[in-house]
Amino acid sequence: MNGKALSFYINDKMFGLDIKLVKEISRRFEYSHVPDSNANIVGLMNLRGQVVTLFNLGSILGLTKDNEEKVSNTACIILKAHHNNPNHVGFLIDRPGDVLDIESEWCEKTPANVEEINTEMIREVVKLEDELLLILDSDKVFRF
Amino acid sequence: MIQNEEFINEFVEEAQSHLEMIEAGLLKMEEGSSDIDNINNIFRSIHSIKGTAGFFGLEKIVELAHVMENLLGEVRNGKIAPNSNMVDHLLTGNDQLKSMVGDVFNSNAEDVSEHVDIFSALLNQEAIPEKQTEKISDPMPGIDHQMFDLKDDEKLKRQIDEARKHGHNLYKVSIGINKDLGDQNLSPIKFFKKIQSVGEIVDSFIDISQVKGLDNVMQSDVIFTFVFTTVLERKLLPIALDIQEENFEVLETYEKETKTADTEEVIVSPDSAEEDEEADKDISSDHSENTTKPVETSAKKEPVATVEDSIRVHVTLLNDLLNLASEMVLGRNQLLRNIEDHRKEINGLDAILQNIDRITTELQEKIMQTRMQPVGNVFNKMPRVIRDLSKKLGKEVDLDIEGSHVELDKSIIESLSDPLTHLIRNAVDHGLETPNKRKSAGKPTPGKVMLKAYHEGGSVYIDIIDDGAGIDPERIRKKGLEKNVVTEEELKQMSEQDILQLLMKPGFSTAEKITDVSGRGVGMDVVKTNIEKLGGTIEIKTVLGEGTTFRMILPLTLAIIPSLIVEVENYKFALPQVNLQEMVRIKAGDESKKIEYVHNAQVLRLRGKLLPIVHLGEVLGLEHKETGLAISTSEITRILVLKVGSRRFGLVVDRIYDEEEILVKPLPVYFKSCQCYSGVTIMGDGKTAMILDPDGIINKASLRFTEEQTQQNQRDDLASEEEMRELQNILLFKCSGEETFAIDLSLVSRVEEILPSQVETIGNQEFIQHRGEALRVIRPENYLPVTKKDNSQADKLYVIIPKLVANPIGLIIEKIHDTVMTTIKLNKEDIKGKGLIGSTILNNRIVLLINIYELFEMVSPEDYEDSALKNQHHDLTILLAEDTPFFARLTKNYLEWAGYNVILKGNGKEALDVLYEKSVDLVLSDIQMPVMDGLELARQIRKNPDLAGLPLVALTSMTGEKDRKAGMEAGFDFYEFKLDKITILEVLQKAIRIRRDAV
């Protein structure tokens, strides 16, 4: 990708998302769990009258390892509604990171040996100076 | 020539509504309406289509609209009388226009010459002879105009003169459609309207001299020229119209200019019209707009500057508003909570908060209302459908429409058109018999189709009723097997309703042969799915030989529904009230009411029948069977009795909160696999809650209902007279005890507020002063089997003063809850007691209905023990037809008290059936009843020679002189007000005596 990406942390791992997809980051959020729903759904949240489905991105990505430790979610990221999907979605994060300028020459497809997480959900890997940023493919992540 | 898609869309929308109007108007005309307003409206609509289409160069539309307009013009002027044949052609023409408007971009490729020929011929038949020859030789519209032009010139002159007399100035404005209007993003129509708002247009035409061919329209410019009169000064004009000074000029006179303009164009059109360019034809058609417009305006002297009283708003904007309004309600609630402690400290805060409260609620309601539209919008299309069908099928059909004013959410209205059309088609095609068959069945030849919308229990019902042959379930069975829609095994399990529902399965069609009317691929299954998508259901009722009713039950709005908030394991849910029948509370250790076991399944004995019990927590996986048992042993079990269609079950929840009107939001796609939910809502505290779907819960809990159970339930429903429609006005109040009482307001003369000290005791009786007289008052709780407190602390009391009783006694009560308009469904399991009619549930409360006559009789038996009124021999039978359970029970009660045997029936039809079998001594009938009303009953009885001597007494709440007269004409001997017990008993005696004397 080329442009700005928002980075954030889930289970202490850094991920990124094209900032154009992000509607807002909410630090004060309340949600209600929905019984009998998909295990990846945390619950529903009321965002100024809009119902937002909140996901547990960690479990979708298969980051189950650290789950036993108590993970404190301090914020959630809400995505813009897609024009052909009126449902608002959001997900919990440990904490937001930065807004980063990304240039396309830093990007690469996911290396073949990444096993820890579901690779098809990673759009590309960005080689930042001192670490790697995994850019998520939101279409694949929130596909049900 | 098409400038801008947005403008075109505007035109299409406008034209479509005009076309609807034309169609409705034409149908009216065919029915023989010679209403000049009607014809004017049609004329105006078609004219306006032609006019705007001209702006966009939609020449074929213009061409067709023009000839239609000409014909209608002659009709309007009384030169041609409309006939059925002509209306036929006009309707076909209208249809053609519809399809061209619908596909506006390809409309110019349509061939309308056939229509044009027809209309020209129609016009010529009775047009003035000398023009006839001319016209037959060349029916081209272009030529017609010239003829019209000549006439118009005069009128034009007159119009201008007239305007000048009133101090108008004459202006000519030329506007480049691309250059000027394009910049302002203004459509020609809007500009047209703008001018009309300040003045009167006398002429307008288009100059396309700059345009060399079709291809370079966009590069060069089309100049619109308007000639109009207005009182505005030269200086003000640019401001008013938002145009440049150089765009307009002041005219002294207009004739010359027109002449030149006209001649120019007239010269152009005959020359080139035949030869080449389509663009040229365009001039001629556009030109017709110019010249006929003044005819209209001057002839009718319409006020031109009309004020628009409606605007178009996009639905998404309304949806956003709705969201915001409900958010505001939340904000209000939060504010109220936070400020609660300080309410007393700040002066006047209370009033302000209340005001905000009220306004917010009203705001939300109003926004909801913006989405409501009358169902008539869809119904109006049906006369046309019926008309075409009846012609095509050779069946005479009368269509009755009722309840056009009933409003539904816009989204529902929009999706209703197709299913409704299909059901109407179905009724005429399959439902109604051919005229011959009808004759031999002894029915009137014209078949009857009725379209009826009404409110019922929070839903809107739309009935499509035909009086045709009915549906033979046997045939459906056979057909179902033939088409492999159903197996023999399955059929055995099915109830009659289930079998009828087979009609709605894909691949099912009962017509022996598929006609081009109904069997066109769009089947009943599509109807069913469409209705279900709207959250509605469809039911079929049929009587062989008498007809079929398709009933659509639709939610009033998709957006707000009344619901009950319940809690399980600390989760809150909203349960739509539509499905809620009653609430049952079971105390541990209460042997009379307890949950029992059939193998592993829990059931509740409710009034002698077993009700399957489902634990909500269990269904949602919140508790397991083992722990579930533990919970059910807790103190109190709360069971909601729910009904889906004819299936009933009990749902166990932990807590029941209030009733709330909830704003329904669609279920996010991610929850589609959860069967138990139908939507989401945001509650008063800002948190989301799931809306429960009882149907889904049945599936999830895999409850299987057998045929017998559902049938049983259905029969129960009939028995409980669910069909009643009469609304009663009920006063809800409380005495010193806990119970809520109700009394029908029609029994109440007035309610007065008094102080406890005003009640005086004389002997062991209590009195108050009322209008200068002593009025005996009683405390109902002293006589009724209810709780009471001896030393009530109430600082004020109310007295209900009844009406229509011989010796009035006031009822002292402590608190007035409410008055409600409702239909009362009496509980079958009575809370029995002397002085009570029964109990019902209103606003989630058990309410006891007071029988005021019995109560008074208990209070002072001496006044009511009038033996003269009693039939001592107990040998007389009265047939009572009354649909409202409340009145039925009340009346039956005092008839029996008076010693009569009573047969009670819920409507005229049932009563009539009884009369054929049994002999009765008198018929006492309500007037307003479903199925067959009292008037019809009386007529039917009087028609039958065997019953001619039967005394008939009408018992009604409609006491107007007109009603009385209608009643007497129908054959009633007496016509009495419902609630006057003594008079009624007297009348009954009189009626029976008269009859005896006659015999």
Side-chain angles (χ1 to χ4, degrees):
Chain A
M1 64 172 283
N2 198 2
K4 287 183 193 301
L6 174 72
S7 72
F8 50 89
Y9 294 86
I10 295 173
N11 291 11
D12 282 332
K13 294 196 170 54
M14 186 168 75
F15 293 95
L17 206 57
D18 187 340
I19 202 150
K20 289 201 285 288
L21 300 170
V22 177
K23 182 180 165 76
E24 62 187 81
I25 303 173
S26 177
R27 282 170 204 279
R28 292 189 55 196
F29 60 96
E30 252 185 287
Y31 59 87
S32 322
H33 178 67
V34 180
D36 195 34
S37 58
N38 189 298
N40 290 331
I41 296 176
V42 183
L44 291 174
M45 141 177 188
N46 169 18
L47 180 79
R48 297 184 297 280
Q50 295 280 4
V51 174
V52 180
T53 312
L54 286 182
F55 287 88
N56 180 348
L57 196 53
S59 76
I60 295 176
L61 293 173
L63 300 173
T64 47
K65 268 187 193 166
D66 304 351
N67 247 12
E68 283 154 35
E69 293 170 36
K70 208 170 186 187
V71 181
S72 56
N73 300 119
T74 62
C76 70
I77 292 179
I78 292 142
L79 303 185
K80 284 177 187 159
H82 219 271
H83 59 274
N84 50 17
N85 178 6
N87 302 284
H88 286 261
V89 296
F91 54 87
L92 302 182
I93 55 174
D94 297 356
R95 61 194 159 90
D98 297 309
V99 177
L100 307 162
D101 283 311
I102 311 262
E103 279 170 35
S104 44
E105 51 261 37
W106 307 346
C107 302
E108 232 175 80
K109 286 278 151 219
T110 323
N113 59 349
V114 177
E115 274 177 14
E116 193 186 358
I117 56 173
N118 253 330
T119 47
E120 58 169 22
M121 295 182 182
I122 306 296
R123 200 162 93 184
E124 52 203 353
V125 177
V126 185
K127 296 163 281 181
L128 298 177
E129 243 170 68
D130 44 3
E131 55 187 330
L132 295 174
L133 175 68
L134 305 178
I135 300 286
L136 296 174
D137 185 336
S138 68
D139 286 343
K140 299 247 167 65
V141 173
F142 302 111
R143 192 182 50 190
F144 274 82
Chain B
M1 276 288 267
I2 288 167
Q3 280 87 17
N4 184 320
E5 209 167 311
E6 205 178 307
F7 297 155
I8 287 278
N9 286 340
E10 193 183 324
F11 159 71
V12 169
E13 275 181 34
E14 198 175 287
Q16 272 164 347
S17 70
H18 279 306
L19 289 167
E20 292 297 331
M21 249 152 70
I22 294 170
E23 183 172 300
L26 286 173
L27 289 174
K28 240 201 259 171
M29 194 155 108
E30 192 186 28
E31 279 164 20
S33 158
S34 51
D35 184 6
I36 190 73
D37 281 343
N38 182 35
I39 297 168
N40 276 339
N41 280 339
I42 304 174
F43 184 84
R44 215 164 16 225
S45 294
I46 193 115
H47 177 82
S48 146
I49 291 171
K50 187 186 77 174
T52 26
F55 280 132
F56 295 111
L58 303 166
E59 52 184 60
K60 292 292 177 183
I61 293 180
V62 172
E63 194 178 337
L64 181 53
H66 178 75
V67 282
M68 285 171 72
E69 182 190 343
N70 283 351
L71 183 57
L72 286 164
E74 293 298 292
V75 172
R76 189 179 62 160
N77 298 338
K79 296 227 174 89
I80 296 180
N83 57 40
S84 163
N85 179 36
M86 189 173 110
V87 174
D88 252 357
H89 287 301
L90 283 170
L91 281 171
T92 351
N94 200 41
D95 284 348
Q96 177 68 26
L97 281 178
K98 263 190 203 169
S99 80
M100 288 198 291
V101 166
D103 186 14
V104 73
F105 292 98
N106 295 321
S107 70
N108 278 1
E110 288 279 331
D111 181 16
V112 295
S113 59
E114 199 183 316
H115 297 285
V116 171
D117 289 349
I118 290 170
F119 288 119
S120 305
L122 279 172
L123 188 63
N124 291 336
Q125 273 163 20
E126 303 198 31
I128 308 142
E130 66 248 36
K131 281 165 194 159
Q132 200 171 354
T133 44
E134 188 189 340
K135 283 193 145 182
I136 283 169
S137 66
D138 188 354
M140 280 299 292
I143 307 292
D144 292 2
H145 304 161
Q146 295 181 2
M147 172 190 92
F148 277 88
D149 288 352
L150 298 175
K151 279 199 285 185
D152 299 337
D153 242 15
E154 288 254 316
K155 289 184 177 158
L156 222 150
K157 225 186 287 172
R158 234 184 292 146
Q159 192 189 0
I160 294 169
D161 290 347
E162 188 72 17
R164 281 200 177 282
K165 261 187 238 158
H166 289 91
H168 282 234
N169 297 320
L170 191 62
Y171 296 99
K172 181 168 137 190
V173 180
S174 299
I175 288 289
I177 191 157
N178 289 337
K179 184 167 68 74
D180 298 313
L181 294 182
D183 290 349
Q184 292 184 38
N185 211 1
L186 202 66
S187 73
I189 307 161
K190 281 197 182 132
F191 189 72
F192 196 75
K193 284 187 179 149
K194 213 167 174 180
I195 296 181
Q196 281 189 323
S197 67
V198 296
E200 197 158 340
I201 294 180
V202 287
D203 199 0
S204 61
F205 44 86
I206 301 175
D207 178 10
I208 52 166
S209 55
Q210 291 185 26
V211 184
K212 295 291 171 279
L214 259 183
D215 295 337
N216 58 358
V217 178
M218 294 315 277
Q219 291 91 325
S220 50
D221 212 347
V222 184
I223 307 289
F224 280 102
T225 306
F226 298 97
V227 179
F228 67 102
T229 67
T230 172
V231 284
L232 288 181
E233 293 297 326
R234 189 196 166 94
K235 271 185 290 184
L236 294 171
L237 202 58
I239 306 161
L241 296 180
D242 207 8
I243 51 171
Q244 304 300 319
E245 189 103 16
E246 71 251 24
N247 284 116
F248 70 91
E249 54 183 297
V250 186
L251 298 181
E252 285 312 312
T253 49
Y254 182 51
E255 304 122 78
K256 271 184 199 143
E257 307 251 351
T258 356
K259 280 273 155 66
T260 49
D262 259 0
T263 41
E264 264 171 33
E265 285 179 35
V266 169
I267 290 165
V268 173
S269 43
D271 277 1
S272 48
E274 278 93 355
E275 299 169 11
D276 49 60
E277 292 300 309
E278 285 183 298
D280 283 322
K281 256 199 223 157
D282 211 76
I283 304 172
S284 60
S285 38
D286 280 327
H287 182 66
S288 65
E289 150 76 13
N290 314 333
T291 45
T292 35
K293 190 96 193 168
V295 182
E296 190 198 359
T297 41
S298 62
K300 280 195 273 104
K301 294 221 165 81
E302 264 187 296
V304 175
T306 47
V307 183
E308 294 235 347
D309 56 358
S310 65
I311 53 165
R312 283 174 198 278
V313 179
H314 209 278
V315 184
T316 50
L317 179 63
L318 291 181
N319 289 345
D320 289 350
L321 270 176
L322 192 63
N323 269 338
L324 290 172
S326 40
E327 274 308 289
M328 192 159 156
V329 173
L330 289 182
R332 174 198 69 188
N333 294 348
Q334 281 162 4
L335 179 71
L336 288 179
R337 255 202 312 279
N338 284 320
I339 218 164
E340 191 59 46
D341 300 338
H342 311 286
R343 276 176 94 142
K344 293 265 150 57
E345 294 163 28
I346 306 165
N347 257 350
L349 182 66
D350 249 5
I352 294 169
L353 287 177
Q354 256 173 28
N355 197 25
I356 290 179
D357 201 47
R358 212 193 58 233
I359 292 170
T360 331
T361 315
E362 204 163 309
L363 183 68
Q364 196 179 13
E365 272 168 21
K366 289 283 174 217
I367 293 172
M368 285 307 303
Q369 268 175 27
T370 57
R371 294 179 50 91
M372 300 297 271
Q373 290 187 322
V375 73
N377 288 3
V378 200
F379 280 10
N380 289 345
K381 294 183 182 154
M382 298 307 142
R384 175 69 195 281
V385 175
I386 290 270
R387 179 191 175 277
D388 289 357
L389 278 176
S390 78
K391 291 223 163 175
K392 199 175 258 169
L393 298 168
K395 294 177 181 177
E396 250 183 88
V397 187
D398 288 338
L399 176 68
D400 277 349
I401 294 183
E402 246 180 56
S404 295
H405 60 276
V406 172
E407 287 194 326
L408 277 166
D409 195 86
K410 175 184 159 68
S411 50
I412 300 180
I413 293 274
E414 277 165 357
S415 334
L416 211 54
S417 178
D418 284 350
L420 205 57
T421 311
H422 190 84
L423 287 174
I424 287 275
R425 280 198 171 120
N426 193 68
V428 177
D429 193 13
H430 300 323
L432 295 179
E433 314 92 325
T434 56
N436 283 340
K437 272 193 196 158
R438 286 185 71 88
K439 240 181 246 162
S440 55
K443 292 183 183 177
T445 346
K448 218 169 151 178
V449 174
M450 190 159 173
L451 199 53
K452 197 166 142 193
Y454 52 96
H455 289 274
E456 171 97 42
S459 306
V460 168
Y461 283 43
I462 297 178
D463 287 359
I464 299 97
I465 308 164
D466 68 62
D467 70 341
I471 304 170
D472 185 358
E474 204 41 55
R475 242 177 81 208
I476 300 180
R477 259 195 208 112
K478 248 169 56 195
K479 209 93 190 174
L481 289 173
E482 247 169 59
K483 304 229 165 179
N484 281 333
V485 180
V486 69
T487 67
E488 197 96 43
E489 268 313 296
E490 287 170 312
L491 270 178
K492 277 188 197 145
Q493 303 281 327
M494 285 173 133
S495 67
E496 192 156 306
Q497 181 65 34
D498 286 339
I499 288 173
L500 286 176
Q501 290 282 343
L502 281 181
L503 280 176
M504 314 266 189
K505 288 254 170 154
F508 200 100
S509 173
T510 51
E512 295 295 341
K513 61 175 193 281
I514 287 173
T515 61
D516 67 333
V517 179
S518 304
R520 298 154 308 119
V522 200
M524 292 293 282
D525 55 316
V526 181
V527 173
K528 189 179 155 93
T529 9
N530 283 344
I531 298 293
E532 279 173 358
K533 255 188 227 156
L534 300 174
T537 53
I538 186 158
E539 287 177 2
I540 311 172
K541 288 185 180 173
T542 183
V543 181
L544 210 54
E546 285 181 24
T548 311
T549 300
F550 283 88
R551 171 171 296 170
M552 295 193 248
I553 304 170
L554 298 164
L556 202 57
T557 157
L558 298 177
I560 288 190
I561 57 166
S563 66
L564 192 72
I565 309 298
V566 298
E567 189 183 270
V568 167
E569 303 284 299
N570 297 324
Y571 289 106
K572 279 186 188 164
F573 298 95
L575 180 77
Q577 206 119 64
V578 195
N579 301 105
L580 183 65
Q581 283 215 304
E582 61 183 301
M583 293 181 263
V584 181
R585 219 176 93 139
I586 298 178
K587 267 194 196 146
D590 182 353
E591 281 302 307
S592 66
K593 263 194 218 159
K594 59 175 184 186
I595 293 182
E596 296 169 76
Y597 287 83
V598 178
H599 296 287
N600 289 325
Q602 294 188 335
V603 292
L604 173 73
R605 248 191 256 205
L606 190 67
R607 289 177 213 116
K609 272 190 231 80
L610 296 180
L611 186 74
I613 296 295
V614 175
H615 288 261
L616 181 57
E618 208 172 278
V619 173
L620 295 177
L622 292 171
E623 56 185 67
H624 296 287
K625 279 232 157 134
E626 309 85 65
T627 53
L629 289 181
I631 280 169
S632 69
T633 54
S634 71
E635 270 301 290
I636 288 166
T637 312
R638 293 176 179 83
I639 303 174
L640 306 169
V641 181
L642 305 184
K643 188 177 164 202
V644 185
S646 49
R647 298 168 298 176
R648 271 154 51 104
F649 69 101
L651 188 70
V652 178
V653 297
D654 294 352
R655 288 186 71 176
I656 296 170
Y657 291 88
D658 271 348
E659 184 190 329
E660 234 176 78
E661 298 261 309
I662 56 165
L663 184 67
V664 179
K665 292 170 183 281
L667 194 68
V669 285
Y670 315 104
F671 295 94
K672 286 290 184 246
S673 58
C674 314
Q675 294 184 50
C676 302
Y677 309 125
S678 61
V680 190
T681 187
I682 295 172
M683 290 196 302
D685 57 2
K687 290 197 179 120
T688 59
M690 305 307 283
I691 302 168
L692 294 174
D693 176 8
D695 196 27
I697 293 174
I698 289 182
N699 290 334
K700 183 95 194 267
S702 32
L703 292 182
R704 245 171 260 118
F705 288 90
T706 67
E707 179 187 9
E708 272 162 46
Q709 276 163 350
T710 46
Q711 274 187 348
Q712 185 61 45
N713 287 340
Q714 270 170 356
R715 265 199 298 270
D716 289 351
D717 290 350
L718 286 178
S720 71
E721 285 161 296
E722 230 180 22
E723 292 283 315
M724 55 149 199
R725 307 263 151 70
E726 255 174 89
L727 285 173
Q728 285 177 261
N729 227 329
I730 306 287
L731 177 71
L732 298 179
F733 59 91
K734 249 177 79 172
C735 297
S736 65
E738 288 303 311
E739 291 86 353
T740 304
F741 297 97
I743 189 167
D744 193 291
L745 267 180
S746 56
L747 293 164
V748 175
S749 150
R750 51 190 294 141
V751 179
E752 305 236 336
E753 193 181 311
I754 57 164
L755 297 169
S757 58
Q758 281 176 277
V759 180
E760 299 168 48
T761 311
I762 300 169
N764 58 357
Q765 298 186 347
E766 288 180 307
F767 291 89
I768 58 160
Q769 288 181 23
H770 176 61
R771 293 183 181 168
E773 282 181 43
L775 175 75
R776 179 159 181 210
V777 291
I778 55 157
R779 297 176 196 259
E781 63 268 35
N782 292 339
Y783 296 90
L784 300 173
V786 296
T787 60
K788 59 185 170 200
K789 272 189 231 151
D790 284 335
N791 291 317
S792 166
Q793 298 303 317
D795 49 5
K796 64 183 174 192
L797 297 170
Y798 301 88
V799 177
I800 298 177
I801 298 162
K803 76 176 162 196
L804 297 170
V805 286
N807 305 297
I809 298 176
L811 306 183
I812 293 187
I813 60 170
E814 293 206 342
K815 195 174 167 214
I816 296 176
H817 280 308
D818 206 355
T819 61
V820 286
M821 261 304 243
T822 181
T823 56
I824 286 193
K825 192 155 75 188
L826 291 169
N827 281 359
K828 272 165 280 171
E829 183 190 76
D830 273 353
I831 295 167
K832 287 244 169 63
K834 217 169 174 224
L836 294 177
I837 295 171
S839 65
T840 184
I841 294 182
L842 284 176
N843 300 350
N844 298 333
R845 250 191 298 236
I846 292 183
V847 172
L848 302 176
L849 293 150
I850 291 187
N851 183 342
I852 207 160
Y853 302 117
E854 217 170 66
L855 179 64
F856 288 171
E857 205 181 309
M858 290 158 71
V859 174
S860 58
E862 63 284 0
D863 288 337
Y864 287 84
E865 203 54 46
D866 186 354
S867 55
L869 289 173
K870 291 203 178 181
N871 162 37
Q872 304 295 3
H873 307 290
H874 296 272
D875 57 348
L876 294 175
T877 304
I878 290 178
L879 174 62
L880 173 64
E882 167 67 78
D883 62 316
T884 317
F886 173 83
F887 288 121
R889 215 181 279 193
L890 189 73
T891 314
K892 187 168 183 247
N893 192 297
Y894 64 65
L895 288 177
E896 282 172 347
W897 170 87
Y900 296 101
N901 303 317
V902 181
I903 303 172
L904 173 64
K905 288 292 155 194
N907 64 51
K909 178 102 187 23
E910 288 173 14
L912 202 58
D913 290 344
V914 170
L915 285 176
Y916 291 140
E917 286 167 14
K918 279 191 190 145
S919 115
V920 301
D921 296 283
L922 185 140
V923 176
L924 195 56
S925 172
D926 185 17
I927 296 295
Q928 282 177 306
M929 287 184 289
V931 189
M932 184 193 281
D933 66 12
L935 295 177
E936 184 58 28
L937 173 64
R939 279 183 215 115
Q940 293 287 343
I941 291 176
R942 289 301 178 227
K943 251 201 269 174
N944 188 331
D946 294 343
L947 301 173
L950 191 62
L952 298 180
V953 179
L955 203 53
T956 173
S957 45
M958 298 189 297
T959 47
E961 197 42 49
K962 239 165 96 193
D963 298 321
R964 175 182 292 270
K965 205 165 152 236
M968 298 311 261
E969 272 166 13
F972 282 106
D973 298 320
F974 294 94
Y975 194 90
E976 291 304 323
F977 187 63
K978 233 175 217 181
L979 302 158
D980 196 346
K981 173 180 171 182
I982 304 294
T983 320
I984 288 168
L985 291 178
E986 280 168 8
V987 164
L988 291 184
Q989 282 191 328
K990 203 158 53 169
I992 289 172
R993 212 178 310 127
I994 290 172
R995 192 210 175 194
R996 284 222 175 114
D997 293 350
V999 173

